[in-house]
């Protein structure tokens, strides 16, 4: 079984379409949340995401933009984008967002989990080895996919040694991939990166393919029409920073 693992699309239609076009063969799509928020095409992105898969974990922006949570913890730019999204979402899409599953969920049996933030707390950011230590100590699943940070890579431990997983790419503007062979007896936290708003200094859209037969995770970076995505944000009257950061990858 091969799963296309997506996270943090954030209503960026151009990025999502580029990922769908570039993704190699897959059998299932696992979406780790934040389908909406920040970007200018929340309704279209929900429709596209639903058309290719049915496994979804809710993200904090999905929760807030559907009215299930408060914007009080959001910075001013995220707050403004969330309120705009609430106004433009269709009633059907609001209802769909409200019924998304609370992670972790296990789409492929007891060895794999899908989360938005930490497996221990859906809103917790896993940014460092220190953040990863407690989740990796407590999880019972060997392979744990998460998003929320918009940083492609992850963390792993065999109980004695600890490892940070950082894809190594040769360019900043071409399609690329990076393979990680998963080992027996090792627990993993793996972030496919953000489809719609990367924050690791690489503007290209990010995703991953998980192959259970090969015990392999392949990270991908794919260029997309970032200018069109920026233009849509500006035309919608959303904050300029949401457009400029797409090219910065920050």
């Amino acid at each position: 079984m091969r799963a296309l693992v997506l996270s943090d699309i954030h209503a960026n239609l151009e990025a999502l379409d580029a990922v769908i076009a570039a993704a190699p063969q897959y059998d299932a799509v696992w979406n780790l949340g934040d389908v909406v928020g920040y970007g200018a095409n929340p309704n279209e992105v929900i429709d596209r995401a639903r058309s290719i898969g049915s496994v979804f974990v809710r993200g904090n922006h999905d929760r807030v933009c559907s009215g299930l949570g408060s914007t009080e913890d959001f910075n001013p730019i995220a707050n403004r984008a969330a309120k705009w999204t609430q106004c433009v979402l269709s009633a059907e899409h609001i209802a769909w967002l409200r019924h998304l599953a609370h992670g972790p969920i296990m789409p492929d049996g007891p060895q794999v989990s899908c989360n938005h933030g930490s497996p221990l707390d859906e809103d917790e950011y896993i940014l460092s080895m220190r953040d990863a230590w407690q989740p990796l100590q407590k999880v019972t699943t060997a392979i744990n996919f998460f998003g929320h940070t918009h940083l492609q890579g992850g963390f792993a431990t065999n109980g004695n040694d600890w490892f940070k997983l950082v894809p190594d790419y040769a360019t900043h503007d071409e399609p690329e991939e990076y393979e990680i062979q998963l080992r027996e007896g090792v627990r993993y936290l793996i972030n496919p990166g953000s489809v719609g708003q990367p924050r690791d200094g690489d503007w290209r859209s990010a995703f991953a393919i998980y192959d259970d037969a090969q015990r392999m995770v392949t990270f991908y970076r794919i260029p997309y029409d970032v200018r069109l995505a920026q233009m849509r944000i500006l035309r919608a009257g959303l904050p300029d920073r949401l457009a400029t950061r797409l090219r910065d990858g920050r």
Side-chain angles (χ1 to χ4, degrees):
M1 192 280 302
R2 289 167 56 85
L4 170 61
V5 189
L6 308 177
S7 191
D8 298 284
I9 302 169
H10 280 297
N12 187 333
L13 183 62
E14 284 67 44
L16 179 57
D17 281 346
V19 165
I20 294 171
Q25 182 179 356
Y26 56 86
D27 306 301
V29 180
W30 300 345
N31 195 306
L32 308 182
D34 279 356
V35 179
V36 300
Y38 296 134
N41 292 92
N43 290 299
E44 296 88 341
V45 164
I46 290 175
D47 284 337
R48 194 83 87 248
R50 292 176 70 181
S51 73
I52 61 171
S54 59
V55 176
F56 290 85
V57 179
R58 75 179 183 187
N60 56 313
H61 285 260
D62 301 326
R63 192 173 69 243
V64 170
C65 290
S66 64
L68 289 179
S70 169
T71 61
E72 64 182 11
D73 293 330
F74 280 13
N75 64 50
I77 290 177
N79 189 328
R80 184 173 160 190
K83 290 179 177 177
W84 178 88
T85 303
Q86 288 175 345
C87 291
V88 302
L89 279 171
S90 71
E92 176 192 350
H93 291 149
I94 289 174
W96 179 79
L97 288 169
R98 287 179 175 176
H99 286 89
L100 291 180
H102 179 301
I105 62 174
M106 299 178 182
D108 190 40
Q111 288 300 304
V112 180
S113 76
C114 289
N115 315 266
H116 183 63
S118 165
L120 307 181
D121 181 344
E122 65 177 333
D123 290 327
E124 181 181 345
Y125 290 91
I126 302 177
L127 294 163
S128 66
M129 193 69 77
R130 177 176 292 184
D131 299 331
W133 186 87
Q134 188 175 36
L136 284 175
Q137 290 281 5
K138 293 191 173 184
V139 292
T140 58
T141 44
I143 303 164
N144 304 274
F145 291 102
F146 72 102
H148 198 30
T149 67
H150 301 212
L151 304 175
Q152 190 179 62
F155 307 91
T157 182
N158 60 11
N160 297 312
D161 300 315
W162 296 75
F163 312 93
K164 187 173 183 180
L165 311 175
V166 181
D168 184 17
Y169 297 113
T171 77
H172 290 284
D173 52 12
E174 298 293 331
E176 290 189 77
E177 59 188 75
Y178 184 87
E179 294 181 344
I180 291 182
Q181 184 69 56
L182 304 179
R183 296 184 289 167
E184 295 288 348
V186 177
R187 292 189 300 279
Y188 292 89
L189 284 165
I190 298 173
N191 192 325
S194 172
V195 171
Q197 195 193 85
R199 295 178 185 170
D200 52 9
D202 188 332
W203 67 274
R204 294 171 295 180
S205 191
F207 67 97
I209 292 284
Y210 166 61
D211 188 319
D212 65 349
Q214 300 294 324
R215 289 191 59 81
M216 181 84 71
V217 169
T218 306
F219 293 114
Y220 291 85
R221 300 309 285 247
I222 300 297
Y224 71 96
D225 191 344
V226 69
R227 287 187 179 181
L228 180 54
Q230 290 174 317
M231 182 183 69
R232 291 185 190 275
I233 287 170
L234 297 175
R235 285 183 174 177
L238 289 162
D240 291 0
R241 176 59 181 150
L242 294 177
T244 58
R245 75 183 308 172
L246 294 183
R247 176 58 71 180
D248 297 337
R250 298 290 184 190

